[in-house]
Amino acid sequence: MDDDADLVLDARDLEPPEPMVRTLEALNTLARSEKLLVLLPREPYPLYRALELNGFAWQAERRPDGTVAVLIRHQTP
């Protein structure tokens, strides 16, 4: 999953709401062809809803160390 990302945001050590704020800021700069990988300490359910409402698709996986990796891209029309 890491190899697919153009940008990586490691938000594992940030306190809420910083992970959400920084992810949305990064998405504002994301080109249509780029993918953003966000590393989080837990499942970001509020983020999933925000992504859906703003036209993004995502793929999430839980890693052995407990990190949740979320790969985000623009939805294809």
Side-chain angles (χ1 to χ4, degrees):
M1 186 182 277
D2 293 23
D3 296 340
D4 291 343
D6 298 288
L7 302 166
V8 177
L9 172 62
D10 187 346
R12 290 176 286 188
D13 293 330
L14 300 177
E15 291 294 322
E18 277 303 303
M20 175 76 101
V21 170
R22 291 195 189 182
T23 300
L24 295 177
E25 286 173 352
L27 291 174
N28 284 334
T29 68
L30 195 67
R32 296 240 10 124
S33 62
E34 291 181 322
K35 295 177 186 172
L36 169 67
L37 179 66
V38 183
L39 303 174
L40 299 156
R42 67 188 65 81
E43 209 58 63
Y45 295 109
L47 175 62
Y48 296 152
R49 181 71 178 138
L51 294 173
E52 183 180 325
L53 292 172
N54 289 290
F56 290 94
W58 70 92
Q59 176 183 357
E61 73 176 20
R62 182 170 298 275
R63 295 182 173 175
D65 68 355
T67 297
V68 176
V70 183
L71 186 65
I72 304 167
R73 61 174 173 74
H74 288 273
Q75 286 184 2
T76 51

